[in-house]
């Protein structure tokens, strides 16, 4: 069996560097696989040593606890590679898990491909976006997915078509297990200016989101017809802080780190928000952020 010793790895990594909200302690080891063989090797090692694997894309939706974390962390950022082909009016992009939405945005602008515009500006890798079923302005990544290549719980490489994968609002089956290795997206040759549309989408995003402070995006999933931000604002939590973590004054559903926020304060804030909304609206808020504790 191949050994993980040949795979790029960093020791004693400050987890603040691997997530956008910049909270977290130290990871004993972080692996940086460059191809599917590296991932299989890491996967087998985790099974053999009975260690939990924690996958990280850009870290835009994850929050790590403080202290020393012993999990096997795997940053997918170096798993790059893109293939593009045409069939009729459609253009297909196959992208490996570590390809960022920034890279895809550049391609769709350069080639004037339609379908992806509303998702431009979401800070994500392909693997993280498929896992979270990231979406914006009424469009979700699952709308574009043709197929996903992933590693299942037996360490087998599986290719599943869109219909075989369970997706829902900010949910995919990969949140319960499996490693997304690559995905194929179906786009089309547009007869309008894609770059112009993307520019407007990004302007719209920038107006609403607090991008001047470290954040992890939406904290809670929206409830049917009731945005989580609305509920948080109604219970008086817009701009509310515990220590150096708070709900943004610009967008109540965005957590922001005002400096050196502590994980314990963040948990206190989430528990307080959840109890307030339950008390006043009898609604159980569902966390969108992925807490690694
Ligand atoms: C400023 C800001 C704006 C945002 N706006 C939006 C928005 O408009 N819409 C939206 O939906 N989200 C938004 N988000 C949240 C975030 O960008 C998305 O959830 C994104 O899909 C996360 O991608 P990532 O690569 O950073 O994944 P990460 O945050 O690194 O990981 C997310 C989850 O996926 C898992 N994961 C990562 N890679 C893999 C893989 N290859 N295989 C299996 N599991 C994997 C992780 O373990 C974790 O559970 C925003 C976040 C920020 C900070």
């Amino acid at each position: 069996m191949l050994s993980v010793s040949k795979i790029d790895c960093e020791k004693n990594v400050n987890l603040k560097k691997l997530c956008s909200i910049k909270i977290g302690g130290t990871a004993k080891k972080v692996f940086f696989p460059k191809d599917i063989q590296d991932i299989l090797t890491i996967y087998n090692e985790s099974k053999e040593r009975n260690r939990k694997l924690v996958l990280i894309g850009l870290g835009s939706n994850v929050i790590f606890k403080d202290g020393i974390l012993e999990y096997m962390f795997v940053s997918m950022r170096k798993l790059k590679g893109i293939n593009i082909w045409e069939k009729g009016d459609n253009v297909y992009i196959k992208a490996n898990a570590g390809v960022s939405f920034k890279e895809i945005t550049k391609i769709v602008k350069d080639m004037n491909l339609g379908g992806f515009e509303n998702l431009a500006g979401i800070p994500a890798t392909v693997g993280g976006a498929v896992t979270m079923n990231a979406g914006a302005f009424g469009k979700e990544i699952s709308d574009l997915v043709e197929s996903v290549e992933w590693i299942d719980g037996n360490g087998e490489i599986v290719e599943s078509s869109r219909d075989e994968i369970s997706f829902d609002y900010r949910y995919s089956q990969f949140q319960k297990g499996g490693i997304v290795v690559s995905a194929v997206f179906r786009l089309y040759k547009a007869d309008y200016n894609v770059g112009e549309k993307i520019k407007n989408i990004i302007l719209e995003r920038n107006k609403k989101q607090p991008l001047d402070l470290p954040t992890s995006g939406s904290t809670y999933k929206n409830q049917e017809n009731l945005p989580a931000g609305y509920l948080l604002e109604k219970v008086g939590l817009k701009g509310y802080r515990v220590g150096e973590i708070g709900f943004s004054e610009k967008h109540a559903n965005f957590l922001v780190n005002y400096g050196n926020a502590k994980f314990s304060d963040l948990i206190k804030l989430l528990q307080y928000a959840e109890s307030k909304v339950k008390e006043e609206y009898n609604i159980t808020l569902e966390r969108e952020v992925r807490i690694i504790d």
Side-chain angles (χ1 to χ4, degrees):
M1 197 196 286
L2 293 166
S3 150
V4 288
S5 62
K6 301 265 186 318
I7 299 170
D8 281 6
C9 169
E10 283 178 27
K11 289 186 179 153
N12 300 321
V13 177
N14 182 350
L15 285 164
K16 290 184 175 72
K17 292 199 281 187
L18 294 185
C19 64
S20 57
I21 196 159
K22 310 222 171 301
I23 295 177
T26 304
K28 279 258 177 148
K29 262 188 187 175
V30 180
F31 291 97
F32 295 87
K34 287 199 181 119
D35 55 33
I36 197 163
Q37 186 53 59
D38 283 355
I39 301 177
L40 283 170
T41 307
I42 296 166
Y43 175 87
N44 289 331
E45 174 96 358
S46 79
K47 284 278 158 200
E48 208 161 278
R49 297 176 55 200
N50 201 17
R51 296 279 290 280
K52 184 179 161 182
L53 273 187
V54 176
L55 297 150
I56 315 170
L58 285 188
S60 316
N61 223 189
V62 292
I63 304 175
F64 304 107
K65 77 167 178 184
D66 289 326
I68 309 277
L69 282 83
E70 305 260 1
Y71 304 123
M72 280 180 79
F73 287 92
V74 184
S75 167
M76 303 294 273
R77 289 176 196 201
K78 292 191 181 171
L79 196 79
K80 298 288 190 188
I82 296 176
N83 263 311
I84 303 172
W85 66 95
E86 288 184 30
K87 203 170 165 194
D89 284 341
N90 288 126
V91 176
Y92 295 84
I93 299 183
K94 178 174 183 179
N96 280 343
V99 170
S100 69
F101 269 23
K102 250 193 189 157
E103 290 163 274
I104 294 183
T105 303
K106 179 163 181 351
I107 293 170
V108 301
K109 271 163 75 175
D110 289 350
M111 295 181 67
N112 208 49
L113 303 178
F116 186 79
E117 304 88 325
N118 294 12
L119 306 176
I122 300 178
T125 57
V126 163
V130 168
T131 301
M132 297 306 296
N133 192 16
F137 302 104
K139 190 97 180 176
E140 294 177 328
I141 192 68
S142 55
D143 298 333
L144 306 179
V145 166
E146 193 67 8
S147 61
V148 174
E149 184 185 23
W150 57 290
I151 295 172
D152 71 10
N154 300 316
E156 303 288 339
I157 302 169
V158 183
E159 171 127 20
S160 301
S161 66
R162 163 70 185 82
D163 297 344
E164 292 166 334
I165 304 166
S166 161
F167 282 113
D168 207 333
Y169 163 62
R170 300 298 172 270
Y171 171 81
S172 81
Q173 64 185 57
F174 306 110
Q175 290 178 16
K176 292 198 175 141
I179 304 173
V180 175
V181 176
S182 69
V184 176
F185 304 115
R186 189 176 69 222
L187 303 168
Y188 56 88
K189 295 174 193 165
D191 57 3
Y192 52 88
N193 187 330
V194 169
E196 196 58 32
K197 208 171 156 195
I198 287 180
K199 199 172 97 189
N200 292 330
I201 288 283
I202 292 186
L203 280 174
E204 208 45 45
R205 292 179 66 81
N206 292 351
K207 266 193 238 160
K208 291 187 196 144
Q209 299 187 348
L211 302 175
D212 51 336
L213 287 169
T215 173
S216 44
S218 292
T219 310
Y220 295 106
K221 295 186 185 184
N222 291 328
Q223 302 292 312
E224 258 170 67
N225 304 323
L226 274 184
Y230 169 87
L231 291 167
L232 292 167
E233 195 172 341
K234 281 289 174 196
V235 299
L237 293 181
K238 193 174 189 179
Y240 185 86
R241 292 162 71 152
V242 175
E244 295 190 48
I245 187 85
F247 290 113
S248 162
E249 278 160 31
K250 191 166 177 186
H251 190 317
N253 197 23
F254 272 50
L255 285 171
V256 284
N257 182 351
Y258 290 97
N260 206 9
K262 284 201 217 119
F263 180 80
S264 54
D265 285 340
L266 180 137
I267 293 298
K268 269 185 219 154
L269 179 61
L270 295 188
Q271 287 170 346
Y272 181 60
E274 288 155 21
S275 67
K276 282 285 265 183
V277 170
K278 181 77 187 165
E279 208 177 281
E280 293 188 27
Y281 284 88
N282 197 24
I283 289 176
T284 305
L285 285 174
E286 198 186 334
R287 291 179 190 172
E288 183 175 323
V289 285
R290 314 285 294 165
I291 307 250
I292 314 290
D293 57 5

